[in-house]
Amino acid sequence: MGRETLQKKTAGGILLKLQNRKLLDKSTTIINYASIFFMTVALVILLAPIVVRGLGAYIFRGTIEHRKVIFEQFQRGRPEILQNELDQVQMARQPVFDMLKSFETELDEMEGRESREMNNQLKELKGLLRELYGVLPGERDPILLRKQYGKTRWKDAREVFHQIMQAEKWDYSDPQHSRLVRFPRRDVFQGTSLEPLFDYLPLKFRETMRPRLVFYLHFLLDESKDAHFFGGIFPEILGTVYLTLFAILFAVPFGVIAAVYLAEFAGDTRFVSLLRSFINTLAGVPSIVFGLFGLAFFINTVKLSETKSVLVGGATLALLVLPTIIRASEEAILAVPREYKEASLSMGASQLRTIVSVILPAALPGILTGIIISMGRAAGETAPIIFTAAVSVGKPLKLLETFSQPTPALPWNIYNLCTEHEAVDSIRHVQFGMVFTLIAVVLTLNITAIFLRARILKKLRG
Amino acid sequence: MKDSLIISKRANRLRRLASLLANGGLLTVTSLSMIIVIFIILFIARDALPFFKLEGFKEFFTSTSWYPAGDPPQFGAMAIFYGSLMVTLGASMVAVPLGIFAAVCLSDVLPFQVKQVVKPVIEILAALPSVAYGFFALVILAPIMQTRGPRLFGIAAWVALVPAALLAAYFLRGFVDSRIRNEKFRKATRNITFVMAIFGFFVIISRISSFFSGLTVVSGTNALNVSLILGIMALPTIVSVSEDALNSVGRELRENSYALGATRAETVFKVVIPAASSGIVAAVILGVMRAIGETMVVWMASGNSSQIPQPFYNFLSPVRTLTATIAGDMGEAAHVQGAPRYHVLFAMALALLLISFVSNLISEWAVKRSRKKLRGESS
C-alpha cells in the first residue's frame, strides 16, 4: 500500500518504478559513454587536420621552382639534371612570354581609354604569371627572395593557374548586395594576341612547372630563407632542443633531491606539509606569470644575461616543470618495495648509501618517466619564453651563444607565423609543418613515458 | 673487543652526523620550491605596486576603457577581468559535466581493458602543447565557425536535445499513467500524451535550432571558440583528478548500495559522487584554473577586443583576457619600464596569482577533507 500511494501521489514517484529506474540507469550509461566518445572524437578532430596538412610540409608535389630553390639556396641536387630540366621548362614557357611580348607591342598601338584598361588587365595577368614562374624575362631581379622564384608547390601553382584562367570582379548591379563574380579571363583579351594563351596554358601548364613528388625531410634541417617562404625550420628545432635541455638540466637535480627528501627523510611535520602545499602552489601558477617572473627576476634583477637568452628561458621553464619532476620522482621512490630498503639497511649500509645505490636505481624508470613528461611540457610551453627567450627570426645558435642570445623556438614561431607574419596565408604549409613537428616531438616523448610506465607496472606486479 | 666497540661508537656518531647533514642539505634543496613561490610573489608584487601608487585602484577595477598607449593613458581593466571570467565560465560549462561523466565512466562503467585504451587518449589531450590548441582554434575552428557556424549550432541542438526530449516524453507518459485510475481511459490518455509531448518537444527543438541557425557569426575568433577549446584542455585534469576521487571511495560503499537494490546510476549519483564530492570539487577547481591561466589559446583565438559583450552573455563576440593582455602588451611595454603601462601588466599578473593561490588553497582543503571523510567512513 505504502509504495503504491507514493508512486501515485508524488510526481517523483515515477522515478521509483523499476522500469523507469532501469531506463534512467541506461540513459546515464549512454551519457557516460557519450562523454568518453566526445573526448576521443575531439582528439581525432584536433589531430587529423594537423597531421594530414603537417605531413604536407614534408611530402608534397614540388615544382621545378622547388628544385631550383633547393639547388641555389641550399646547394643540393645535381646541376646537370637540373639544368636539363630548366631548359625544357624554359622551352615550354617561352611561348607564354612571346605572347606577352607581342601583346605589349600591340598595346602600344592602342589609344586612350582602351589602352589604359588593357594595361591594367595586363598588369594583373603579369602579376599572376610572376607569382607562378618567378621573374619574367627582361625584368630586373627583385630584392626579396620570395619574388625571385615562382610557386614551389604544385597545389599553390594550380591555384594561381585557376586565377589566371578565371578572373574575379565585384558586381555592383544590386547596390544592396555587391558580390564577387567569376568569369573567364579569356573574355578580357578577346581578339588580341594574348587570346591563344588561354588555349596554350591548360595544355602545357604541367610542362611549365614539372611537378614531382618530393620527400622534403630536410625541412627539419634547413634554415629558413626570407622569413619562412622557403626552406625549413632548423633554427626553431634547435632552439626548442636547447630550451628543453636547459630546463631539464636545471630542474632534474633539484627535483630529484627534493623528492628523495620528501619520500625518505621528511616526517609528518607541519613544515613538511607546508612545503608540499607550496609545491602544489608552484604547480598551479599560470604559465604567463612564470614568464613575467623570468623577466623581472632573471633579466632585470639578477642580470643572468643582458637581454632574453636561452639560459634565462631554460631557467624559467625549469621552475615550471619542477613540481612535475618532484611529484613523479617521489611517487617512483615510494613505489620501490620496502624489502629493498630493509635488506640494504640490514646489511649495514647507511641511509644515504641505501638511497644512492639501492633506492634510486630501482626508482630510475619511474623518475625517467617524470623527466620525459616534463621534457614534453617544456618543449611545448610558449608563454614562459615570450619575454625570456624567444625571437621570431634568428640563426641557429652555437652552444656558447645560448648563454647570452635569444633563439627562435617552435612554439613561439608557430604563434608568430600564424598571427604576425606578413603573408600568413601563403606559408600555411610551414605553419602546419611546425605544429605537426612540435606535436610529434611531444607525443613521442609522452608515448615513450606511457610505455615506460606500463613496463614498470608490469614489473612491480611481477 | 673493547676497541672495536669504541670504533663502532665513533663510526656511529659520524654516521649520525652525516645523516643529519644530509637531512639539512636535502631540506634546503627541497625548500627551494617554497623560496621560488615566495620570490614569484615578491617580484610580481614589487612591479605591480607602483601601478597602484601611480594610478590608484578605482579606474583599474571599475572602468572598461583600456587605452594604455593613449594620451592620457587609460587603464580600465574591468572588461578584461570580465573576459577572463566569461571564457572560464564557458570552458567550465563544457568541461565540468563532460569531465565528471567521463570520470564516472572510467571508474564505474568501463571494463579494465577498455580503460587501458581510453586513458592514453586523456593523457595525449593533456600533453598537447597549448600553442597547438591555439593554432587549431585560430586556423581551423575559427574559419569553420565563421562560415558554417550557425548551421552547425542548429545541428548540434538537434543532436543534443532529441534524446533528452524522447526521455522526457517517456517520463511524462509514465507520470500520466500513474495519475489516472480508470483502466481504459488511462491507456488512451497516456499514449495521446506521449505523442503530443513528442510533437511539442519537436516543435520547441526546431524553434531552438532555427534560432541558432539564424545567428550571425561576425568573427570566428570569439568567446565561444575559446571556451570550447579551453573546455577540452581542462577536461583531462578534471577527468583524472575526479576519477582518483571516485576510485578512492572504495568497494564497500558501492557494494552496500547495490545490495540494497540500487541501479548503477543511483549508486553513482546518490552514493559515490556525494562521498567523493570534495575530491570532485578539487578536480573542478584545478580544471578551471587551467582555463584561467591559459595564455596561448586566448591570445590567438579570443579576438582580443577589450569590451564587455553586448548583451553580457553573448558568447559570439570577441573578448580579451588577463593572460592575453599580459602576453600581447608586454612586447611594447617592456621598452617603457617604469611607466604605468609596464606596471599594469604586473598588476594583472598579481591578480592572476592571487586567484590561483586562493583556488589552490580551496582545492587542497577539499582534497584533505575528502581524504579525512573517506577514512572516517571506511573504518
Side-chain angles (χ1 to χ4, degrees), chain A residues 8-9 19 21 23 25 28 32-33 35 257 261 265 277 280-281 292 297 300-301 387 415 446 450 453, chain B residues 23 26-27 30 43 98 101-102 110 123 127 170 179 261 265-266 269 295 299 330 342 349 357 360 364:
Chain A
K8 298 216 161 134
K9 289 252 167 82
Q19 199 185 353
R21 286 171 53 204
L23 188 71
D25 184 43
T28 322
N32 282 332
Y33 278 115
S35 55
I257 290 175
Y261 178 80
F265 290 88
S277 97
N280 283 340
T281 312
L292 277 190
F297 183 68
N300 289 349
T301 310
F387 318 128
Y415 165 79
N446 273 278
I450 290 173
R453 196 183 307 143
Chain B
N23 203 331
L26 290 176
L27 181 62
T30 312
F43 277 87
L98 269 176
F101 273 114
L110 287 180
E123 270 174 66
Y170 185 80
R179 270 312 181 78
E266 286 160 353
F269 283 103
T295 310
W299 192 17
M330 188 45 102
Y342 174 79
F357 285 167
N360 231 330
E364 240 177 59

Side-chain angles (χ1 to χ4, degrees), chain B residues 71-253:
Chain B
D71 186 30
Q74 285 175 295
F75 297 102
M78 196 169 83
I80 296 172
F81 277 101
Y82 183 78
S84 273
L85 178 78
M86 184 166 176
V87 162
T88 311
L89 273 183
S92 45
M93 277 195 282
V94 175
V96 171
L98 269 176
I100 292 175
F101 273 114
V104 168
C105 194
L106 284 177
S107 73
D108 280 70
V109 180
L110 287 180
F112 181 76
Q113 279 85 355
V114 186
K115 232 160 69 172
Q116 294 309 98
V117 182
V118 173
K119 281 214 160 163
V121 171
I122 299 168
E123 270 174 66
I124 290 174
L125 273 179
L128 284 179
S130 58
V131 72
Y133 280 103
F135 181 78
F136 178 84
L138 175 68
V139 175
I140 297 166
L141 186 58
I144 290 177
M145 200 176 268
Q146 197 161 339
T147 52
R148 262 163 287 177
R151 208 194 308 157
L152 289 179
F153 302 154
I155 294 169
W158 277 104
V159 172
L161 292 178
V162 164
L166 284 177
L167 206 64
Y170 185 80
F171 281 115
L172 203 64
R173 172 179 175 270
F175 178 62
V176 170
D177 190 55
S178 66
R179 270 312 181 78
I180 294 166
R181 295 204 169 247
N182 187 325
E183 194 65 32
K184 244 188 192 165
F185 193 49
R186 183 165 81 176
K187 257 187 187 164
T189 327
R190 78 172 188 210
N191 288 341
I192 290 171
T193 325
F194 187 58
V195 173
M196 293 287 282
I198 285 184
F199 184 72
F201 282 134
F202 271 61
V203 171
I204 295 171
I205 294 173
S206 62
R207 278 281 173 82
I208 294 174
S209 168
S210 64
F211 167 73
F212 279 129
S213 312
L215 291 173
T216 45
V217 182
V218 180
S219 161
T221 53
N222 54 33
L224 178 68
N225 183 335
V226 173
S227 299
L228 277 176
I229 300 291
L230 286 184
I232 290 169
M233 288 178 79
L235 258 181
T237 315
I238 297 187
V239 173
S240 52
V241 178
S242 41
E243 194 215 340
D244 279 347
L246 292 172
N247 276 337
S248 64
V249 168
R251 288 182 77 92
E252 292 97 350
L253 269 183

Side-chain angles (χ1 to χ4, degrees), chain A residues 197-252:
Chain A
L197 176 77
F198 299 97
D199 292 320
Y200 178 80
L201 214 50
L203 277 177
K204 294 283 187 179
F205 182 55
R206 192 171 270 271
E207 269 99 298
T208 64
M209 295 308 279
R210 292 178 81 92
R212 199 191 295 157
L213 195 64
V214 179
F215 292 90
Y216 185 34
L217 292 180
H218 273 273
F219 184 67
L220 278 176
L221 300 176
D222 279 346
E223 280 182 44
S224 92
K225 298 278 174 180
D226 191 12
H228 286 290
F229 270 90
F230 308 112
I233 53 173
F234 183 62
E236 286 81 8
I237 301 265
L238 191 69
T240 302
V241 169
Y242 277 144
L243 283 169
T244 312
L245 287 185
F246 270 74
I248 292 304
L249 278 181
F250 289 136
V252 165

Side-chain angles (χ1 to χ4, degrees), chain A residues 330-346:
Chain A
E330 192 191 347
E331 238 169 72
I333 292 170
L334 286 177
V336 174
R338 280 181 68 99
E339 290 86 3
Y340 284 32
K341 189 176 154 190
E342 282 161 4
S344 167
L345 287 176
S346 68

Side-chain angles (χ1 to χ4, degrees), chain B residues 50-81:
Chain B
F51 171 75
F52 294 115
K53 244 182 235 161
L54 287 169
E55 301 284 330
F57 288 92
K58 196 177 164 222
E59 188 193 21
F60 186 64
F61 288 110
T62 57
S63 155
T64 60
S65 43
W66 173 257
Y67 301 105
D71 186 30
Q74 285 175 295
F75 297 102
M78 196 169 83
I80 296 172
F81 277 101

Side-chain angles (χ1 to χ4, degrees), chain A residues 11-81:
Chain A
I14 47 162
L15 295 182
L16 288 176
K17 252 182 151 182
L18 188 62
Q19 199 185 353
N20 292 345
R21 286 171 53 204
K22 276 189 176 159
L23 188 71
L24 264 186
D25 184 43
K26 281 211 180 99
S27 15
T28 322
T29 311
I30 290 173
I31 298 176
N32 282 332
Y33 278 115
S35 55
I36 295 280
F37 178 73
F38 176 84
M39 230 156 52
T40 320
V41 168
L43 182 66
V44 171
I45 291 179
L46 255 164
L47 286 185
I50 291 176
V51 170
V52 170
R53 292 185 64 180
L55 277 174
Y58 292 91
I59 306 165
F60 59 94
R61 287 157 82 82
T63 62
I64 179 73
E65 299 292 328
H66 172 72
R67 301 192 276 282
K68 209 167 134 192
V69 172
I70 292 295
F71 179 74
E72 288 178 2
Q73 300 298 326
F74 300 103
Q75 287 77 45
R76 281 199 308 271
R78 298 239 291 273
E80 59 277 18
I81 296 178

Side-chain angles (χ1 to χ4, degrees), chain A residues 119 146 159 192 263 333 337 360 372 429:
Chain A
N119 219 338
R146 74 191 71 154
E159 229 160 71
T192 66
I333 292 170
L360 278 184
I372 291 172
H429 60 280

Side-chain angles (χ1 to χ4, degrees), chain B residues 292-373:
Chain B
I292 295 181
E294 175 50 46
T295 310
M296 294 318 288
V297 174
V298 284
W299 192 17
M300 291 163 94
S302 71
N304 284 329
S305 135
S306 162
Q307 53 170 19
I308 291 182
Q310 291 295 334
F312 68 91
Y313 52 82
N314 183 6
F315 268 92
L316 291 177
S317 72
V319 292
R320 187 183 182 123
T321 67
L322 290 172
T323 48
T325 309
I326 298 173
D329 286 10
M330 188 45 102
E332 287 155 33
H335 301 301
V336 286
Q337 284 186 18
R341 222 183 131 185
Y342 174 79
H343 293 302
V344 71
L345 301 178
F346 281 87
M348 286 178 172
L350 188 64
L352 273 176
L353 257 185
L354 289 182
I355 296 170
S356 91
F357 285 167
V358 170
S359 14
N360 231 330
L361 278 181
I362 299 174
S363 84
E364 240 177 59
W365 170 79
V367 167
K368 248 178 219 157
R369 207 182 93 124
S370 91
R371 261 191 217 140
K372 210 181 263 173
K373 196 168 143 193

